[in-house]
Amino acid sequence: MILPHRARRRAPLRVALTGANGGYGRTFLAQLACTPEILPAVLVDPDAAGVLAMLEELGIPASRAAASSGPAQTAEIIASGRIALVGSLDALDWAGIDVLVEACGRVGAGAAYAEAALENNTHVVMVSKEVDTVVGVELSARAADKGLSYLPGDGDQPANLLRLVDWVSAVGLDIVAIGKAGEYDLQFDPATGRVSQAGESIEAPQLTGLLELGSSITSTLAQRAEAVSPLKRAAAADSCEMTVVAMRTGMMADVEAMHYPVARINELADIYAAREDGGILANDGVVDVFSALRLPGEASFAGGVFAIVRTGDPATWEILRGKGHVVSRDGKYACIYWPYHYMGVETPLTVHAAVDLVEAPPAVPGMILAGRALCDLPAGTDLAVAGHHHEIDSVAPVMIAADPAASPFYLLDGARLIRPVAQGSLIGFADVEGVDAGALTLYLAGASRGRTTRSE
């Protein structure tokens, strides 16, 4: 049964959704069937036929939607109670929209949609983490100046982790590290000696003897990493998500590519401890990602989020250990975690929060996700974000302190190198041509806010 909730009693909220025919868009639209106070007024996607087919699959007849090529037509469709299908920004009628849910995933387009929404007094729920890492600082500030909301979308790890951090901070616990699991677990079967990740399987019988941390955590982690080295565990999407969190918490990666330890859930409080306590952290207050290692039949971390905290009263935390909570062997650290992220199923929470002007930490300047060349890249190299994990071939995403010469990683999408970049070098603005002009302007404006603040 679905229990009644006070949110159902509010006046209808009209949302525009970009990237409507993507996976995230579908999960959000499917959930709106259970939240009738949130109406999908406008669906934005170049593939109108694909959107119509998806709506049919969701039980929404084609008669409920109509294609529009301009703002006036869009306004008429919304006024008639139907869903307007549009393919571009210039067909939107902002007067009929309360909240933009930006999920197109492309920096140029997403930045333009979000900027236009704020200019037209429309709240923004930013699902496109790639966009947020480039223009989030400026758009967050503009929203605040206008009394509007600009929020990461619940259901993806950045917003979920920020909610967990808020809970931990409100309780008053001292945070050592925060982060998430990689999108796909490492599933190890001791009976076969094979480990699988996202459909790829390799022989790794040595993991049988590495299922416990042993006396040297760093040694065990190094051996595990070697055992699963044929599998690609790090993803640009992970770095992107942690950058969104870092921009709003002031935390940084301990190392620019993050640690990515191969870890079991019950080990996290021991692993993410200070080096002097046997853990891996050189610094305090960091963001990181781990690869979840589990056995057949064990529950998944499901790409969820965690916070490592320092414990207080030893007796209290021994009681909690006895109840199954994750506490380090020495009792100094504990891991609090939410093993889920339900994508668009959770995003209605953010739509409500946006309209209610729920206070949230803004994105601030000070660090960026940049790109470092993995090999010598010649002039003329085309750079493009591609694949499920939104990677750029031969370029590694790295989290670094703000560098005025370095280009944000996702601003490089569609650019071309105009001069060679040596292996190991950051790719800078002077190295490329063809970056999206609108997104670049917003990024530089946000960076300038940081310089102004420091000079004051």
Side-chain angles (χ1 to χ4, degrees):
M1 65 179 293
I2 300 176
L3 295 173
H5 191 275
R6 62 185 179 279
R8 305 292 92 81
R9 298 195 295 267
R10 78 182 311 156
L13 303 175
R14 299 159 300 176
V15 301
L17 169 67
T18 65
N21 199 33
Y24 204 108
R26 183 188 179 111
T27 61
F28 177 59
L29 290 171
Q31 192 59 29
L32 294 191
C34 303
T35 58
E37 76 283 0
I38 301 176
L39 305 177
V42 182
L43 302 182
V44 185
D45 200 290
D47 184 8
V51 173
L52 278 173
M54 177 187 63
L55 291 177
E56 290 275 10
E57 292 173 1
L58 293 174
I60 302 172
S63 59
R64 284 277 318 281
S68 173
S69 59
Q73 188 177 12
T74 299
E76 291 176 4
I77 294 170
I78 295 174
S80 71
R82 292 177 295 166
I83 301 170
L85 307 182
V86 307
S88 62
L89 176 62
D90 55 11
L92 281 164
D93 172 57
W94 293 103
I97 301 168
D98 299 302
V99 180
L100 169 71
V101 178
E102 206 316 289
C104 78
R106 291 293 179 181
V107 167
Y113 283 121
E115 182 181 27
L118 294 176
E119 287 176 349
N120 288 276
N121 297 310
T122 300
H123 303 291
V124 175
V125 172
M126 181 54 71
V127 174
S128 298
K129 51 189 175 283
E130 303 86 356
V131 176
D132 195 60
T133 61
V134 177
V135 302
V137 171
E138 179 62 16
L139 294 184
S140 185
R142 291 190 185 185
D145 289 344
K146 300 193 70 171
L148 297 169
S149 294
Y150 176 87
L151 302 173
D154 283 291
D156 216 357
Q157 292 97 328
N160 287 19
L161 182 51
L162 288 167
R163 282 197 290 114
L164 175 58
V165 168
D166 182 69
W167 182 92
V168 171
S169 299
V171 169
L173 293 167
D174 183 17
I175 296 174
V176 177
I178 59 175
K180 53 161 276 187
E183 206 70 24
Y184 302 105
D185 293 349
L186 295 167
Q187 301 178 56
F188 176 63
D189 186 350
T192 64
R194 297 188 67 82
V195 63
S196 301
Q197 176 188 257
E200 185 178 359
S201 181
I202 63 169
E203 297 285 346
Q206 60 271 50
L207 283 178
T208 301
L210 298 170
L211 293 177
E212 303 295 331
L213 281 178
S215 59
S216 174
I217 291 174
T218 54
S219 175
T220 299
L221 294 180
Q223 292 177 74
R224 287 177 180 174
E226 176 62 26
V228 300
S229 58
L231 297 172
K232 184 182 184 300
R233 298 186 291 114
D238 293 336
S239 296
C240 180
E241 288 165 350
M242 290 302 93
T243 299
V244 171
V245 174
M247 289 164 58
R248 289 167 170 82
T249 61
M251 296 185 176
M252 285 286 290
D254 203 32
V255 294
E256 64 178 27
M258 296 188 288
H259 287 293
Y260 278 95
V262 176
R264 304 183 72 180
I265 296 172
N266 66 312
E267 302 169 344
L268 292 174
D270 289 289
I271 290 171
Y272 285 108
R275 287 179 181 174
E276 56 265 31
D277 292 321
I280 65 173
L281 297 183
N283 299 289
D284 197 32
V286 305
V287 295
D288 205 68
V289 176
F290 79 99
S291 296
L293 175 64
R294 64 182 174 94
L295 303 179
E298 289 185 340
S300 171
F301 206 84
V305 298
F306 69 89
I308 307 299
V309 300
R310 290 185 177 86
T311 58
D313 174 50
T316 294
W317 289 93
E318 283 307 309
I319 291 171
L320 295 174
R321 187 201 301 275
K323 291 182 177 292
H325 293 286
V326 176
V327 180
S328 63
R329 293 179 294 195
D330 63 9
K332 293 183 178 181
Y333 304 89
C335 176
I336 300 166
Y337 62 97
W338 293 347
Y340 65 86
H341 72 295
Y342 288 111
M343 298 178 66
V345 173
E346 297 181 70
T347 308
L349 296 172
T350 330
V351 173
H352 284 290
V355 174
D356 292 337
L357 299 176
V358 173
E359 186 176 350
V364 296
M367 62 84 58
I368 64 169
L369 182 69
R372 195 177 293 283
L374 290 170
C375 59
D376 290 340
L377 298 175
T381 298
D382 291 319
L383 305 172
V385 174
H388 177 70
H389 291 298
H390 302 181
E391 315 270 4
I392 299 177
D393 187 41
S394 301
V395 180
V398 292
M399 296 174 64
I400 62 171
D403 180 342
S407 169
F409 182 84
Y410 284 105
L411 193 57
L412 297 172
D413 186 23
R416 172 177 291 184
L417 292 182
I418 58 175
R419 62 185 188 184
V421 176
Q423 180 180 358
S425 297
L426 293 173
I427 299 177
F429 293 112
D431 300 319
V432 296
E433 64 180 3
V435 300
D436 185 88
L440 174 60
T441 298
L442 288 170
Y443 171 74
L444 293 175
S448 176
R449 289 179 186 268
R451 289 193 291 274
T452 300
T453 300
R454 286 191 293 272
S455 66
E456 293 172 350

